[in-house]
Amino acid sequence: MAKVKFYGNEAVPLEMHKVRIVQKLNLPPVERRLEAITEAGNNTFLLRNADVFMDMLTDSGVNAMSDRQQAAMLVADDSYAGSATYTRLESKLQEIFGMPFFLPAHQGRACENILAQVLVSPGSVVPMNYHFTTTKAHITLNGGVIEELVADAGLEVVSVNPFKGNMDLAKLRDVIGAHGADKIAFVRMEAGTNLIGGQPFSLQNLADIRKVCDGHGLLLVLDASLLADNLYFIKNREESCKALSIREITRRMADLCDIIYFSARKLGCARGGGICIRSQALYHRMRGLVPLYEGFLTYGGMSVREMEALTVGLDETMDEEVINQGPQFIGYMVDELQKRSIPVITPAGGLGCHVNAMEFVDHIPQSEYPSGALAAALYIAGGIRGMERGTLSEQREPDGSEVFANMELVRLAMPRRVFTLSQVKYAIDRLEWLYAHRRLIGGLTFVEEPEILRFFYGRLKPVSAWQHDLVERFRKDFGDSL
Ligand code: F0G
């Protein structure tokens, strides 16, 4: 592990913090878990927290705050306009990213709404390393299309490539050539590329993309929601950056971009979001939408308490010892699963551990949502709530046909500083059991299917009685254990 070397053989991620507030958890018996997932329409988004033991749905808005963040929340300056809290946040962002203008928003997708409304029009094209669900939805809602240009290595599940989030420059040049630069609304790079397993891009790749953008007068937009993990990986995997501090790497990245937007539910361990902008003209074009959709310009839908926590959280993100916690726990879990031959995305990325459902349940066709089925099965097996990141998370084509996802993943997010190592070991154990009995897992089919972002609140049912068989097997193997 990064800083502390172990004398013995078992190196484990070492927490550089201590826990001072705890929350009691509930682990319902397996029979109740079957009932709960049935009530939730086999959609882990619809489970109630009271039925969940380990909530690995997301790292969004659920990271543990530091004592300094909580303390800052107590001195928030509550006012509609001109609050000192806002000024502190704005100054911190200017200090870190070096961009003169900032627009606050209530979360990441609100930033995407503003960016898409201002920059995207019918016929626009937005090249990006990879899409995120809400990003794509906002771009298509405004009449644009996306082009996913992640290098081919990014879609290889098992790999040693340290930067699977890199964009393929040749693909970028081809897309610009094919559509013409005037059709390109902006080029988007997503740090810690979410949907391909939290995979980072390199600073070199961003610099190369900047050059291509400069050649065609294109805007370069960074989605910095998962920046913390990406920074950690650049520092630890990119030879030319080893001697740089996290703060220096951040500034070098920011200097290459025209706009940086983020979900503060991830970046800065608070809740909110915002857009940092280099050009005054662009700032003026976007500004009018903030009071319309978010709130006045000095809060943008965020509570002052969250803004204070965010200001401190952003500062703490510049500390390698703080941001290494997520990647190190994830790295540990990925290594342990690999030792047990359980298919996971490698190398370990940020955000969480990504189980490869395409292989884990290779007997389930994509039309029966293998990742959704595996997520439901893992909840039954251990009260562990993961998130489907596969075909269910796609949108159907306008003619109603399914878009089969490139990858079928179950994402087990690792909220920062939330779980202990024994809880992570429990999750590994339940996955090991499930893998041993993977042939018992069957597919799912929709009962209620919303048209947009169906994975959030769609309801499904198992295609057979496989979930009952799984519970029976659990009882056989574990006796009266929870
Ligand atoms: N961009 C990325 C890369 C994200 O991961 C997210 C959110 C957003 C934008 C939207 O931000 O939620 O604040 O509106 N990801 C969450 C997740 C939902 O669970 O991965 P938001």
Side-chain angles (χ1 to χ4, degrees):
M1 301 294 150
K3 287 268 160 66
V4 178
K5 292 216 163 49
F6 282 74
Y7 175 64
N9 284 331
E10 202 204 0
V12 294
L14 185 64
E15 295 87 344
M16 299 304 283
H17 54 257
K18 60 180 179 178
V19 179
R20 293 172 58 229
I21 290 193
V22 295
Q23 180 182 355
K24 192 175 183 304
L25 287 174
N26 180 36
L27 177 53
V30 68
E31 291 78 10
R32 170 63 204 148
R33 302 201 291 263
L34 173 57
E35 262 172 39
I37 198 72
T38 307
E39 287 160 16
N42 282 278
N43 182 345
T44 53
F45 275 102
L46 301 181
L47 285 166
R48 289 163 197 269
N49 262 1
D51 290 318
V52 173
F53 178 60
M54 275 181 85
D55 191 359
M56 304 184 87
L57 186 73
T58 179
D59 63 341
S60 172
V62 291
N63 296 300
M65 281 193 190
S66 70
D67 49 358
R68 288 180 58 231
Q69 283 182 291
Q70 298 246 330
M73 290 173 98
L74 294 177
V75 293
D77 178 22
D78 228 334
S79 65
Y80 190 88
S83 115
T85 290
Y86 174 77
T87 313
R88 279 195 277 274
L89 173 59
E90 187 187 37
S91 309
K92 182 55 68 186
L93 284 161
Q94 285 164 343
E95 171 200 312
I96 291 176
F97 292 135
M99 290 196 180
F101 303 102
F102 173 60
L103 290 172
H106 76 274
Q107 63 183 90
R109 69 201 67 184
C111 306
E112 291 169 339
N113 172 40
I114 293 169
L115 284 167
Q117 285 210 31
V118 170
L119 298 173
V120 176
S121 50
S124 292
V125 178
V126 184
M128 53 184 70
N129 52 347
Y130 208 75
H131 82 279
F132 183 69
T133 49
T134 55
T135 326
K136 181 175 174 181
H138 279 294
I139 290 167
T140 43
L141 214 58
N142 284 279
V145 293
I146 63 156
E147 287 274 8
E148 285 175 326
L149 310 180
V150 71
D152 295 344
L155 300 180
E156 283 165 13
V157 176
V158 178
S159 165
V160 289
N161 189 316
F163 292 110
K164 292 205 309 187
N166 277 357
M167 184 182 274
D168 185 321
L169 293 164
K171 288 186 193 170
L172 177 60
R173 288 195 196 92
D174 287 351
V175 162
I176 297 171
H179 297 279
D182 56 325
K183 283 272 180 291
I184 310 283
F186 55 89
V187 176
R188 171 178 175 275
M189 282 300 280
E190 183 180 309
T193 324
N194 190 328
L195 295 191
I196 58 167
Q199 297 292 324
F201 60 73
S202 66
L203 183 58
Q204 186 58 51
N205 187 242
L206 195 65
D208 293 341
I209 291 162
R210 176 76 257 174
K211 276 196 205 125
V212 177
C213 289
D214 282 344
H216 298 275
L218 297 176
L219 289 174
L220 180 53
V221 175
L222 173 67
D223 179 342
S225 306
L226 289 163
L227 181 68
D229 296 335
N230 206 125
L231 284 167
Y232 172 81
F233 290 126
I234 287 180
K235 167 95 182 153
N236 287 278
R237 294 179 184 174
E238 193 162 353
E239 211 46 56
S240 59
C241 295
K242 293 221 153 110
L244 299 177
S245 69
I246 295 292
R247 211 172 263 275
E248 285 165 335
I249 298 169
T250 307
R251 181 53 80 84
R252 289 194 190 194
M253 288 174 89
D255 285 349
L256 295 166
C257 302
D258 298 294
I259 293 174
I260 298 178
Y261 78 92
F262 58 92
S263 166
R265 300 176 65 82
K266 293 182 191 281
L267 184 67
C269 293
R271 293 145 197 110
I275 312 175
C276 301
I277 309 152
R278 195 175 299 291
S279 130
Q280 189 171 35
L282 267 178
Y283 167 74
H284 282 145
R285 281 173 66 196
M286 286 189 239
R287 186 172 60 175
L289 296 181
V290 174
L292 209 54
Y293 289 101
E294 303 302 310
F296 189 64
L297 286 177
T298 55
Y299 71 95
M302 280 183 275
S303 93
V304 281
R305 281 163 196 77
E306 295 293 341
M307 283 198 279
E308 287 288 356
L310 172 56
T311 305
V312 175
L314 286 167
D315 209 44
E316 291 178 346
T317 302
M318 298 294 106
D319 179 344
E320 192 188 348
E321 220 147 66
V322 171
I323 60 171
N324 70 14
Q325 292 299 305
Q328 288 193 1
F329 264 67
I330 295 161
Y332 173 83
M333 185 164 178
V334 165
D335 285 352
E336 292 300 311
L337 290 175
Q338 273 200 301
K339 282 184 204 161
R340 292 159 176 78
S341 307
I342 296 169
V344 277
I345 287 206
T346 59
L351 204 170
C353 169
H354 294 75
V355 180
N356 178 12
M358 202 88 91
E359 197 184 324
F360 198 115
V361 282
D362 57 7
H363 55 286
I364 303 178
Q366 276 190 285
S367 55
E368 290 180 9
Y369 311 119
S371 340
L374 181 55
L378 182 59
Y379 171 72
I380 295 171
I384 298 160
R385 163 154 70 172
M387 186 191 290
E388 194 274 356
R389 293 273 88 152
T391 296
L392 264 178
S393 297
E394 296 287 337
Q395 244 162 269
R396 283 185 193 267
E397 296 288 10
D399 69 1
S401 59
E402 282 280 12
V403 174
F404 292 129
N406 291 325
M407 289 187 174
E408 291 288 348
L409 306 176
V410 174
R411 181 180 88 177
L412 299 170
M414 197 74 78
R416 316 289 178 276
R417 304 178 287 201
V418 168
F419 296 126
T420 61
L421 198 61
S422 34
Q423 288 168 333
V424 173
K425 286 184 172 183
Y426 166 81
I428 293 165
D429 179 81
R430 286 301 185 258
L431 273 161
E432 187 175 7
W433 177 78
L434 204 53
Y435 190 62
H437 301 295
R438 60 191 179 278
R439 298 284 167 228
L440 288 178
I441 305 171
L444 298 175
T445 180
F446 265 107
V447 180
E448 272 176 55
E449 185 178 350
E451 225 171 280
I452 298 180
L453 299 175
R454 61 184 182 174
F455 61 92
F456 276 137
Y457 45 96
R459 303 182 78 85
L460 302 100
K461 63 175 187 191
V463 295
S464 64
W466 64 264
Q467 297 183 331
H468 290 276
D469 299 341
L470 199 64
V471 170
E472 227 166 78
R473 184 75 232 185
F474 183 97
R475 277 286 163 247
K476 262 192 206 132
D477 290 351
F478 291 111
D480 60 1
S481 160
L482 292 173

